[in-house]
Amino acid sequence: MGQGATQPSTNWHLKENAKDHHTSKFSSKELIVRRGQAFLVTFNGTEQPEQNLIFIAETGPKPSKLAKTQATFGISSTVSKESWSAVLQSTSSNSVSISISSPPNAVVGRYKLSVQSTSSGSSSPASLGTFVLLFNPWSSGDDVFMSNKAECEEYVLEEFGIIFAGNKNHINSFGWNFGQFQGDIINICLSMLDRSLSYRQDPATDVSHRNDPKYLGRVLSAMVNANDDQGVLLGNWSGNYEGGKSPSSWTGSGEILQNWKKSGFKPVRYGQCWVFAAVLTTVLRCLGIPTRTITNFSSAHDADGNLRVDEFYDDSGNHLNRAADSIWNFHVWNESWFSRSDLGPSYSGWQILDATPQEESGGIYQCGPASRNAIKEGDVDLDYDCPFVFAEVNADCMYWNYDPATGKKTLIFSKSTDIGQFISTKAVGRDNRVDVTNDYKYEEGSRKERDIFKKARKKLGLEDKFDPTAPTPQEIDQKPDISGKFKVDGSLEVGKDLSLILVLANLQSDAKTVHINMTAWSTLYTRRPVNEIWKDSISLTLSPKEEKHFPIKIPYIEYHQQLTTDNMIQVTALCRVEGGIQVLVQRDITLDNPAIDIQVLGEAKVNKEVDVEVIFTNPIDMEVMDCVLRVEGNDLLRGILEIDVPPLQASEKSSTKFKLIPFETGPKHLLVNFSCDRFADIKTFKKINVTLRKDSAVFFVEIIPTSSYSKLLLSVLAAFSRLFFCFTDLTPTHISWQPSINAGTHHTDRYANTELTVRRGEAFTITLYFNRPQQTGESLAFVTEIGPYPSESHHTKAVFNLSEVGASGWSAAQGPSESGYTNFTISSPANAVIGRYNLILQVTSGNKIFSRFLGQFVLLFNPWCPGDDVYMANENERQEYVLNENGIIFVGNAKYIEARGWYYGQFQDHLLNTCLTMLDLSLYYRQDPAIDVSRRGDPKYVGRVISSMINGNDNDNGVLLGKWQGSFHSHENPSRWDGSVVILQKWRQDNYKPVQYGQCWVFAGVMCTVLRCLGIPTRLVSNFNSAHDVDRNLSIDKYYDSSGKSLNIGKDSTWDYHVWNESWFIRSDLGTSFNGWQVLDATPQEQSKGLFQCGPASVVAIKEGDVDLDYDTLFVYTEVNADCNRWIVYSDGTKKRVYCDTEIIGRFISTKAVGSNSRVDITYNYKYPEGSSEERRVYKKALAKILGSNITEGHTESPDERSSETLRNPGISGKFKLAEPPVFGKDVTLILTLNNLSSDHKTVKVDMSASTILYTRRAVAEILKATTSVDLGSKQGKHIRVKIPYSYYGKYLTTDKRIQVTALCEVMHMHGAKLLVEKTIILEDTNIIIKIPRRVVVNKAVTLEISYANPLPEPVDRCVLLVTLMNQQVKIHLARLAPRERSKIYFEFTPRRTGPLQLQVDFSCDKFSHVKGFVTIAVAPA
């Protein structure tokens, strides 16, 4: 390249380099690569390159070697890790290929690459062109290195995101299109850097600092907002968005960034916090810095930096805007991942960046990077902006009453646990929410959290600083006389009336007069009041310990015009207590928009049209106009599609159809935003899986051999064919999974999913069709992979050749072959990990190895395989405990056991996928995905994980929330459920938010479904008189007051019944004697190793008292074996024990019989006969393992027994008997029989109490209280008749329909000799009678007669019959029923399969609910 040489032409090898550098998604035609990694360049016009070429790479306006914005380097033999280098790859007559490497700390940006030949005498280098260099999270030397590949995919390459919003009580979410690889976003991002204040002040220095992610992140946090510079977005929180777009209307960053560029880099109007955060995510991911959005609920804006947020309310309860401080319902910022060499390695990792312009930092509106570790540890003196971020998640709250006339303020209350709740981000690889609160702070209210708070105050000099605005210690310590809260009564939807209940409770023993001023305001999400919607004032008197409910209704017509696009309302009640301090009750409410449904009408394939339908129904009683639908989606649409929708009348449904032509494969997201004059920016999104088109061209050649030329032509074609095979890779063109044969062999033919589902330890057959015959020298092998990080060492990956057992036990054999296809038999080991596998064919041809993805299959546990841990030898038991979809749950109490039907439905549509997803949502998976998946071959591990995932108590996206008291409001009463399928489907449809609500039998029913679905033999077990021993002392303490009323004090309890699961598998960790049935319990009672999970506990270990064995054996042992103490609590606080019963706990332990609906008593499996020497021996053994070996006979002390006495033997006995069967709707009559056991005359005072209770025996309402006395002669017995009228108990009865009656009998003149008599009564429901024909035949309509009744002495309205058959439900509205009236209906259905079907009926009305009946129907073949 001498003087006058032509400009060299450059081949940047765009495709190869982009693939190697993870930059294939960029739309740019310019080379884009990542630092610290080599890229290939080929150019012409050089000779002897190894001797005479010098390369120059430079960036910025004033390239300088000193500033590391220019590098000069020649060709070397090896790559340098510290500097730029070039290695010769190949040469030809007039071209050279060079591999160029940049150091991992190189400046990022657009580079000019030049080459100079030193041998040609040239004085000027020749330009090869430009390329863009980005950060490299895949390079271990880069500050942004992220070792987890799945996280790199999510936080750098993923273009779709989910942003969480709402408030702490009601979290919602919406999709966002980051689009960092679309159009010219990369150029816009680089322009952003060149428009910053830092660049304008000193361009050369600014560019030289662009190798540092913390510098770049800080600059961009300033540039995304427009408060100081030519930034991207102008913030607006006024509620008036004239001259721009409402922040809620945006659905992606691309439109914003493009508008900024098109306008000549004028700020786009308008943004709010989530918009700033989303745009910053786009820019940082584009430049290669791993970044995610974070939502902090109840986020503090501490303007004065005192780690305290002050809010003010006037006498009417109105929220005043008089302080610079504020608490936002939510605030969204960013976390970016990089090392902090300026602080030390312990502060590396996630760093907070916030582009929302709240407070200045260094003279401009920028925030961060603040180390998340520094925030958690209270190191607020570290760079950058740690005090501000610390306050956002940790500040204390002060709520003041302020008088504008006098300027006087009075502290209402303070709280240290309100700020920084449910800190959330999107999960890696999934559209779920992950809670990261524990990464920002220690548990609220804990000693560690308070110590960190004090540490932060000390570092900021606040501990010794006088603050005249701070409350006094006396103000902080004051205690209110009343408490209050707002409860939601109904749905929270725009278009519906808002119904609330103000609940006030008197905490004192004297009456309180309260004056209440209530207001409701529409607010922004920053909680700034906008419009007053409603106000009211009331005065009331609360009796001692009384609770009152005050209903509030705000009609839609009153609030809809006042609502902002945030759909938020703040309701407050300022309560002035005469003679006491004020109480502020407040609640922030987020209303949900109406739903939009997106339907993809066909398969989405590349370059092929597919129709999409968007459906919206107008939910309000008025016309909506100005309807606009906006749609966008990367790789689905080019740009944004905007469609005008005609006006919609009240309740009218709109259906809008449009076409997509996807242009890339893989999972894509379609985002939809619907607006009209009544509803603004209703958002939803749909995940669409785009696949390749399978178009093929087939050519037919017909040859008619009529001469020697024809024969010659045939031989030429044959030779050509052989040559074609040599140059064409052996490729499978089609796979047949042999679904019918495999499903029959593996007992999986009832699963509704379409993919192959097989069981481990047993072979399955596939057929492969190839593009050509296999040639000599070609060999085949298979690869199976499962989980995010398949590994042979973790047994989540196996590579195995034909006719060879692999190291992990997988094997494959080639079966019979025909022209064009080959059969293969694949076997998995009996201990293989269960779940969804990828199956890959590996073809070896000479030195060449290539792989072909064949598809996916699901592998389950195998009770039919003797080598499997879950092997069950009895076929009838396998049919019952794995394949039976119908179950029976036993409920009631030890004296009255009822059977209730339950539909497991483990084979129904989507259930298997839901169960596998459940495993991937667990905390175990989130903590270490690779290890978690590797342990899924162990049924005890899977069972334990599932037991934690069925309940939603650990913030783990669990299936069900439990609730045992109070109203269920708009959610489901646990008694309503009849099966698992509808629960699991709802969980899935609601994006894995816990379903509300469940109780023990619901948790157990759902868990049985999941475990049977995965192949683990499982059954339900009901334990009557089940102990909940919180303090683990093998003693249950129950307390009564001196009148015999049951007291809800003490943590121990005895439930009338409790339902758990037993699963069958071996216990290699304990030894063979502990194999067999294992107890698993998903009901969230007590934590085990930090989570609400229980088991597996060996039933054998429980029976033998081996309570020290894993897992939770002690807790289960006490459920069936604890001793029971009854105590009287006197007014002075002293307690005296009435009696101890060692035999009452753990009675009639029951499960469904194999092959029938009968009850089987399995109590003997859990313990030796009550009172026997063996039972007492085991009890002492268990107690010794807990407390030590020095245990005396009859030890049943409670922890505080030393300060109590045991009452004297009263010398009398007593018991309650029912005079007639207790029937709901009728008066209950009992007879208390008292017997004098001695020859002495006795006068007995009897205090009787009756309360409605839950099945957990928790008292709900006292319905009867009476006192009498009786004289008993020598050995005499007398009867006391007790009547509880329906009018007493009717309105206080729960769906459990239980009443507990107690009689505390005191023998006079015997100094405290007392007898406690108690009885739990279950009121019998009216029978539902289901009559079926003698013969029911498949595919033939059958008519059932269902009769139901009103047992009450009053009429009932709003009668509904819910009929459930498998997963199908029919809701039938019935006519009003007169008192004691019985009626019937006829129900027709057509069974579609043979075998047993369970039909369930649920009857509810306005006076009672969930009266149940079921019948099992034997469906015969036609």
Side-chain angles (χ1 to χ4, degrees):
M1 284 182 284
Q3 296 282 356
T6 59
Q7 186 76 16
S9 64
T10 306
N11 178 359
W12 291 103
H13 298 279
L14 295 178
K15 189 173 182 180
E16 299 90 334
N17 285 324
K19 181 180 179 182
D20 291 341
H21 286 256
H22 306 279
T23 58
S24 300
K25 290 186 175 183
F26 281 101
S27 303
S28 173
K29 294 183 179 179
E30 187 177 23
L31 177 66
I32 301 174
V33 290
R34 301 188 186 277
R35 65 185 191 177
Q37 187 174 337
F39 61 91
L40 186 65
V41 180
T42 300
F43 56 95
N44 63 4
T46 184
E47 299 175 3
Q48 297 181 326
E50 65 275 14
Q51 300 176 6
N52 57 15
L53 293 184
I54 297 294
F55 296 90
I56 304 104
E58 48 193 10
T59 187
K62 298 178 180 179
S64 159
K65 292 181 181 179
L66 183 63
K68 296 186 178 180
T69 53
Q70 183 186 67
T72 302
F73 50 100
I75 294 178
S76 57
S77 58
T78 58
V79 173
S80 171
K81 294 183 179 179
E82 306 297 329
S83 61
W84 289 80
S85 60
V87 175
L88 179 66
Q89 298 298 299
S90 64
T91 61
S92 64
S93 59
N94 196 34
S95 69
V96 59
S97 292
I98 303 291
S99 174
I100 295 177
S101 300
S102 61
N105 63 346
V107 167
V108 302
R110 178 168 281 108
Y111 278 78
K112 176 184 175 184
L113 183 62
S114 305
V115 61
Q116 186 174 15
S117 174
T118 57
S119 63
S120 62
S122 171
S123 58
S124 59
S127 174
L128 296 177
T130 62
F131 67 95
V132 175
L133 190 68
L134 304 177
F135 291 99
N136 192 353
W138 288 268
S139 171
S140 59
D142 200 310
D143 284 347
V144 303
F145 171 64
M146 184 169 256
S147 60
N148 188 309
K149 292 181 181 179
E151 292 182 341
C152 283
E153 291 283 331
E154 178 69 34
Y155 300 133
V156 181
L157 301 184
E158 180 57 57
E159 294 184 83
F160 172 77
I162 291 179
I163 296 173
F164 298 94
N167 64 45
K168 65 182 180 183
N169 299 314
H170 188 78
I171 297 174
N172 53 42
S173 62
F174 54 88
W176 190 272
N177 182 9
F178 295 126
Q180 64 266 33
F181 303 113
Q182 303 303 305
D184 61 342
I185 296 296
I186 180 68
N187 292 324
I188 296 173
C189 295
L190 296 176
S191 296
M192 195 181 298
L193 293 171
D194 291 344
R195 294 182 176 277
S196 70
L197 289 177
S198 301
Y199 183 89
R200 282 186 271 165
Q201 290 167 359
D202 188 340
T205 299
D206 171 75
V207 173
S208 72
H209 286 160
R210 293 183 186 174
N211 66 325
D212 185 353
K214 67 178 179 291
Y215 174 83
L216 212 64
R218 188 161 173 81
V219 167
L220 290 170
S221 78
M223 275 303 297
V224 169
N225 70 69
N227 285 48
D228 312 293
D229 41 35
Q230 296 174 317
V232 177
L233 274 162
L234 198 62
N236 185 342
W237 284 266
S238 69
N240 180 3
Y241 307 116
E242 288 183 9
K245 290 183 64 171
S246 165
S248 62
S249 68
W250 303 110
T251 54
S253 308
E255 184 183 12
I256 296 169
L257 291 167
Q258 294 288 356
N259 288 351
W260 182 58
K261 178 188 176 186
K262 290 174 185 176
S263 69
F265 302 104
K266 294 178 182 177
V268 176
R269 300 167 183 255
Y270 296 103
Q272 289 176 3
C273 70
W274 70 90
V275 189
F276 291 105
V279 172
L280 185 57
T281 300
T282 297
V283 176
L284 292 174
R285 287 188 183 182
C286 181
L287 297 176
I289 301 177
T291 303
R292 62 187 186 182
T293 59
I294 298 288
T295 301
N296 178 38
F297 291 93
S298 295
S299 187
H301 182 170
D302 179 20
D304 47 17
N306 61 358
L307 301 189
R308 194 185 78 227
V309 177
D310 300 292
E311 286 202 338
F312 296 87
Y313 296 81
D314 67 14
D315 287 343
S316 298
N318 295 311
H319 187 182
L320 302 176
N321 286 324
R322 70 170 306 273
D325 289 351
S326 59
I327 303 171
W328 296 14
N329 279 335
F330 70 92
H331 177 49
V332 186
W333 59 64
N334 296 96
E335 283 182 357
S336 291
W337 179 275
F338 46 83
S339 65
R340 291 298 297 269
S341 55
D342 58 326
L343 303 181
S346 62
Y347 298 100
S348 295
W350 288 115
Q351 314 291 324
I352 292 99
L353 291 161
D354 194 346
T356 301
Q358 297 181 88
E359 299 293 331
E360 288 187 343
S361 171
I364 59 176
Y365 283 95
Q366 59 189 354
C367 183
S371 165
R372 194 179 69 184
N373 292 344
I375 301 302
K376 183 169 185 176
E377 297 302 329
D379 295 319
V380 293
D381 52 340
L382 300 181
D383 283 334
Y384 297 91
D385 307 305
C386 285
F388 185 78
V389 180
F390 181 89
E392 286 181 300
V393 299
N394 278 296
D396 285 354
C397 290
M398 305 291 164
Y399 298 87
W400 305 84
N401 176 222
Y402 179 76
D403 186 348
T406 63
K408 181 183 177 182
K409 64 175 186 175
T410 305
L411 184 70
I412 305 172
F413 72 99
S414 63
K415 203 159 187 183
S416 64
T417 58
D418 269 359
I419 297 301
Q421 299 197 41
F422 303 107
I423 305 175
S424 305
T425 192
K426 177 185 176 295
V428 173
R430 304 190 313 276
D431 293 343
N432 306 111
R433 184 182 75 88
V434 175
D435 193 302
V436 294
T437 310
N438 290 338
D439 296 329
Y440 278 82
K441 56 183 177 179
Y442 293 94
E443 184 178 354
E444 279 289 3
S446 67
R447 182 174 179 180
K448 182 71 172 178
E449 184 268 341
R450 286 290 88 189
D451 288 344
I452 293 294
F453 186 80
K454 291 176 182 177
K455 172 185 175 182
R457 283 183 56 83
K458 187 173 182 180
K459 282 180 176 284
L460 295 175
L462 298 174
E463 287 290 287
D464 303 319
K465 181 180 177 181
F466 173 68
D467 184 358
T469 66
T472 65
Q474 292 77 19
E475 287 179 305
I476 293 175
D477 292 336
Q478 61 188 347
K479 302 297 182 185
D481 294 322
I482 67 169
S483 68
K485 63 181 176 181
F486 282 107
K487 295 170 70 175
V488 175
D489 184 22
S491 60
L492 297 174
E493 294 179 36
V494 179
K496 295 186 177 180
D497 296 343
L498 175 60
S499 295
L500 304 168
I501 298 172
L502 173 62
V503 181
L504 295 178
N506 185 355
L507 306 177
Q508 305 301 327
S509 299
D510 55 329
K512 298 293 178 184
T513 300
V514 187
H515 306 284
I516 308 160
N517 291 327
M518 294 178 287
T519 64
W521 285 70
S522 65
T523 68
L524 302 176
Y525 79 96
T526 61
R527 286 167 70 171
R528 184 176 75 80
V530 178
N531 297 305
E532 186 180 66
I533 295 172
W534 167 87
K535 64 180 178 181
D536 196 6
S537 297
I538 59 170
S539 295
L540 52 84
T541 299
L542 292 172
S543 300
K545 303 293 184 179
E546 184 186 20
E547 181 181 281
K548 281 189 177 179
H549 291 206
F550 183 77
I552 298 166
K553 185 174 183 179
I554 305 175
Y556 170 68
I557 197 70
E558 290 185 17
Y559 74 73
H560 80 275
Q561 290 186 328
Q562 315 299 331
L563 210 57
T564 72
T565 55
D566 292 338
N567 289 353
M568 291 183 177
I569 295 173
Q570 187 181 71
V571 187
T572 62
L574 187 61
C575 308
R576 293 186 175 276
V577 183
E578 290 185 2
I581 66 171
Q582 300 175 87
V583 171
L584 177 70
V585 186
Q586 65 168 193
R587 181 160 183 149
D588 292 288
I589 294 165
T590 302
L591 300 177
D592 289 330
N593 274 319
I596 310 174
D597 186 36
I598 304 174
Q599 297 290 335
V600 181
L601 308 177
E603 290 186 59
K605 296 183 178 294
V606 170
N607 297 325
K608 182 180 179 182
E609 282 189 349
V610 62
D611 289 317
V612 176
E613 183 181 24
V614 177
I615 301 169
F616 173 78
T617 301
N618 175 15
I620 60 176
D621 294 326
M622 57 184 74
E623 184 184 43
V624 297
M625 298 180 293
D626 304 324
C627 306
V628 177
L629 197 68
R630 285 169 56 88
V631 187
E632 74 170 300
N634 286 337
D635 303 328
L636 298 172
L637 287 166
R638 300 188 187 277
I640 296 176
L641 178 65
E642 189 165 304
I643 304 169
D644 290 325
V645 178
L648 293 172
Q649 300 302 314
S651 302
E652 184 181 359
K653 180 189 289 186
S654 86
S655 171
T656 306
K657 291 184 179 180
F658 54 88
K659 294 183 183 298
L660 297 178
I661 305 179
F663 42 95
E664 289 288 345
T665 60
K668 308 297 175 185
H669 288 82
L670 188 72
L671 292 88
V672 169
N673 188 88
F674 178 86
S675 288
C676 62
D677 62 339
R678 299 289 179 185
F679 305 102
D681 306 312
I682 305 174
K683 289 179 163 59
T684 191
F685 64 87
K686 178 85 170 181
K687 189 174 184 179
I688 301 174
N689 191 40
V690 181
T691 58
L692 284 170
R693 294 178 64 175
K694 295 183 179 179
D695 297 342
S696 60
V698 180
F699 298 91
F700 295 93
V701 179
E702 183 177 17
I703 302 174
I704 304 173
T706 57
S707 66
S708 59
Y709 292 105
S710 302
K711 295 178 183 179
L712 177 62
L713 182 58
L714 283 171
S715 62
V716 170
L717 286 173
F720 177 78
S721 175
R722 289 192 295 271
L723 187 64
F724 172 78
F725 290 154
C726 290
F727 288 98
T728 303
D729 291 336
L730 180 65
T731 303
T733 59
H734 175 64
I735 180 172
S736 170
W737 293 100
Q738 304 286 4
S740 298
I741 296 173
N742 288 321
T745 304
H746 288 255
H747 309 279
T748 57
D749 49 316
R750 289 165 63 182
Y751 284 93
N753 57 311
T754 55
E755 65 190 330
L756 178 66
T757 302
V758 292
R759 299 187 188 276
R760 64 186 190 178
E762 190 161 346
F764 62 92
T765 302
I766 63 171
T767 301
L768 294 182
Y769 296 80
F770 290 95
N771 61 331
R772 62 169 176 79
Q774 187 176 345
Q775 302 294 303
T776 303
E778 292 178 331
S779 62
L780 304 178
F782 288 95
V783 181
T784 54
E785 296 179 340
I786 188 172
Y789 313 111
S791 159
E792 291 185 85
S793 63
H794 283 156
H795 303 291
T796 51
K797 179 179 180 180
V799 182
F800 46 100
N801 297 317
L802 294 180
S803 302
E804 177 184 306
V805 177
S808 57
W810 287 81
S811 63
Q814 185 169 326
S817 300
E818 297 290 340
S819 176
Y821 71 84
T822 304
N823 293 316
F824 297 93
T825 300
I826 297 175
S827 299
S828 61
N831 64 346
V833 167
I834 61 107
R836 179 169 283 106
Y837 279 81
N838 292 330
L839 181 62
I840 300 160
L841 178 69
Q842 195 175 86
V843 181
T844 302
S845 180
N847 294 325
K848 185 178 180 181
I849 301 176
F850 55 90
S851 299
R852 295 289 183 265
F853 176 70
L854 299 177
Q856 292 183 318
F857 66 94
V858 175
L859 192 68
L860 303 177
F861 291 102
N862 191 355
W864 285 265
C865 174
D868 198 308
D869 284 355
V870 303
Y871 172 65
M872 182 170 258
N874 187 299
E875 175 60 22
N876 291 331
E877 291 183 341
R878 292 193 293 246
Q879 291 290 325
E880 178 69 45
Y881 299 133
V882 181
L883 301 184
N884 193 356
E885 294 184 82
N886 302 312
I888 304 291
I889 302 175
F890 295 100
V891 298
N893 66 22
K895 299 288 181 66
Y896 182 74
I897 298 176
E898 300 176 86
R900 179 180 296 174
W902 190 268
Y903 180 62
Y904 299 124
Q906 64 265 34
F907 304 117
Q908 296 304 300
D909 197 21
H910 299 300
L911 252 293
L912 179 55
N913 290 332
T914 302
C915 295
L916 295 177
T917 299
M918 193 180 299
L919 292 170
D920 290 344
L921 291 174
S922 73
L923 291 176
Y924 292 87
Y925 181 87
R926 282 187 259 168
Q927 288 167 0
D928 193 331
I931 295 298
D932 171 74
V933 174
S934 72
R935 298 184 67 185
R936 292 183 188 173
D938 183 355
K940 68 177 180 293
Y941 177 79
V942 172
R944 189 160 172 81
V945 170
I946 294 297
S947 80
S948 74
M949 278 302 298
I950 298 298
N951 68 72
N953 283 52
D954 299 304
N955 197 24
D956 55 358
N957 295 98
V959 177
L960 278 159
L961 279 182
K963 188 173 184 180
W964 280 265
Q965 55 188 328
S967 169
F968 300 104
H969 294 304
S970 58
H971 301 294
E972 298 291 354
N973 184 319
S975 298
R976 171 256 181 271
W977 305 114
D978 296 309
S980 309
V981 178
V982 66
I983 296 171
L984 290 165
Q985 285 179 341
K986 181 173 174 56
W987 182 59
R988 177 174 170 265
Q989 290 162 1
D990 290 348
N991 202 22
Y992 306 107
K993 295 177 182 176
V995 176
Q996 301 176 60
Y997 292 102
Q999 290 177 5
C1000 70
W1001 71 91
V1002 187
F1003 289 106
V1006 174
M1007 184 156 175
C1008 190
T1009 295
V1010 175
L1011 294 176
R1012 287 188 183 183
C1013 181
L1014 297 176
I1016 301 177
T1018 304
R1019 63 187 184 183
L1020 266 64
V1021 172
S1022 297
N1023 178 37
F1024 293 93
N1025 290 346
S1026 186
H1028 183 172
D1029 180 22
V1030 177
D1031 46 17
R1032 312 291 174 91
N1033 65 348
L1034 301 190
S1035 173
I1036 302 299
D1037 300 296
K1038 178 65 179 172
Y1039 299 93
Y1040 301 82
D1041 69 10
S1042 56
S1043 68
K1045 179 183 175 182
S1046 176
L1047 300 175
N1048 290 329
I1049 62 174
K1051 295 181 180 179
D1052 290 349
S1053 60
T1054 304
W1055 296 12
D1056 276 346
Y1057 68 93
H1058 178 50
V1059 186
W1060 60 64
N1061 297 98
E1062 282 182 356
S1063 291
W1064 179 275
F1065 46 84
I1066 68 170
R1067 292 299 298 270
S1068 56
D1069 57 324
L1070 304 182
T1072 55
S1073 61
F1074 297 101
N1075 292 345
W1077 289 116
Q1078 313 291 324
V1079 175
L1080 289 160
D1081 193 348
T1083 300
Q1085 297 180 88
E1086 298 295 326
Q1087 288 190 336
S1088 170
K1089 297 188 185 299
L1091 296 178
F1092 283 98
Q1093 57 191 352
C1094 183
S1098 165
V1099 173
V1100 174
I1102 294 162
K1103 182 171 183 176
E1104 297 300 332
D1106 293 313
V1107 295
D1108 54 336
L1109 298 182
D1110 282 339
Y1111 295 87
D1112 308 306
T1113 307
L1114 171 59
F1115 184 78
V1116 183
Y1117 178 87
T1118 61
E1119 288 184 298
V1120 300
N1121 280 293
D1123 287 351
C1124 195
N1125 293 294
R1126 295 292 184 262
W1127 300 81
I1128 303 299
V1129 181
Y1130 294 92
S1131 57
D1132 62 359
T1134 60
K1135 298 187 282 288
K1136 291 190 177 182
R1137 188 168 64 191
V1138 184
Y1139 69 84
C1140 173
D1141 191 330
T1142 63
E1143 299 181 8
I1144 195 171
I1145 298 298
R1147 307 290 296 277
F1148 304 106
I1149 304 175
S1150 304
T1151 191
K1152 177 185 175 297
V1154 173
S1156 79
N1157 289 344
S1158 304
R1159 185 181 73 88
V1160 176
D1161 193 305
I1162 56 172
T1163 309
Y1164 187 76
N1165 293 351
Y1166 280 84
K1167 56 184 180 180
Y1168 292 96
E1170 282 289 4
S1172 66
S1173 59
E1174 293 95 336
E1175 184 267 338
R1176 286 289 91 186
R1177 174 187 60 79
V1178 170
Y1179 183 88
K1180 289 175 65 179
K1181 173 184 175 182
L1183 204 58
K1185 284 179 178 284
I1186 303 168
L1187 303 177
S1189 59
N1190 187 23
I1191 301 300
T1192 60
E1193 179 70 43
H1195 178 98
T1196 55
E1197 288 187 351
S1198 65
D1200 58 350
E1201 187 183 351
R1202 297 184 201 92
S1203 61
S1204 309
E1205 296 179 29
T1206 300
L1207 289 170
R1208 296 174 57 192
N1209 186 334
I1212 62 173
S1213 67
K1215 118 172 134 170
F1216 279 111
K1217 286 186 177 180
L1218 287 162
E1220 56 189 17
V1223 177
F1224 175 53
K1226 294 184 179 181
D1227 299 344
V1228 178
T1229 304
L1230 302 98
I1231 296 171
L1232 172 62
T1233 302
L1234 294 177
N1235 293 298
N1236 186 352
L1237 304 178
S1238 70
S1239 301
D1240 301 327
H1241 175 273
K1242 290 184 172 62
T1243 298
V1244 182
K1245 178 189 174 187
V1246 182
D1247 288 311
M1248 283 184 287
S1249 173
S1251 298
T1252 58
I1253 61 171
L1254 304 173
Y1255 81 96
T1256 61
R1257 296 191 189 168
R1258 180 180 178 85
V1260 176
E1262 189 174 44
I1263 55 175
L1264 177 71
K1265 192 171 186 179
T1267 301
T1268 189
S1269 63
V1270 61
D1271 291 322
L1272 296 175
S1274 172
K1275 303 290 184 177
Q1276 184 182 17
K1278 285 191 177 180
H1279 302 295
I1280 301 173
R1281 195 173 185 86
V1282 183
K1283 185 175 182 180
I1284 308 175
Y1286 166 70
S1287 59
Y1288 281 26
Y1289 71 76
K1291 63 180 180 179
Y1292 297 109
L1293 212 58
T1294 72
T1295 53
D1296 291 337
K1297 294 186 175 64
R1298 281 169 162 75
I1299 297 173
Q1300 186 177 63
V1301 186
T1302 60
L1304 186 60
C1305 308
E1306 181 177 3
V1307 181
M1308 308 306 291
H1309 312 299
M1310 283 189 66
H1311 305 291
K1314 294 186 177 183
L1315 170 72
L1316 179 68
V1317 185
E1318 64 179 347
K1319 185 177 184 66
T1320 299
I1321 302 165
I1322 301 179
L1323 299 176
E1324 296 178 14
D1325 271 324
T1326 174
N1327 286 337
I1328 291 180
I1329 302 170
I1330 308 168
K1331 293 183 178 179
I1332 60 175
R1334 290 180 57 190
R1335 180 173 168 79
V1336 178
V1337 178
V1338 70
N1339 294 324
K1340 187 175 180 180
V1342 59
T1343 300
L1344 308 180
E1345 180 186 290
I1346 303 173
S1347 70
Y1348 52 95
N1350 171 20
L1352 305 184
E1354 56 186 326
V1356 295
D1357 288 308
R1358 299 196 295 276
C1359 302
V1360 175
L1361 209 62
L1362 193 66
V1363 182
T1364 304
L1365 183 67
M1366 293 181 65
N1367 197 33
Q1368 305 300 314
Q1369 288 189 334
V1370 177
K1371 192 173 187 179
I1372 305 167
H1373 293 274
L1374 306 169
R1376 183 182 202 229
L1377 288 178
R1380 316 290 190 199
E1381 180 186 0
R1382 178 169 283 277
S1383 186
K1384 62 185 176 183
I1385 64 162
Y1386 294 93
F1387 177 75
E1388 182 180 284
F1389 76 99
T1390 303
R1392 296 302 182 190
R1393 77 177 200 199
T1394 59
L1397 293 181
Q1398 191 179 85
L1399 182 133
Q1400 300 176 62
V1401 176
D1402 181 297
F1403 177 54
S1404 295
C1405 63
D1406 62 335
K1407 298 292 193 306
F1408 56 86
S1409 60
H1410 307 305
V1411 177
K1412 293 184 180 291
F1414 75 94
V1415 66
T1416 300
I1417 305 169
V1419 182

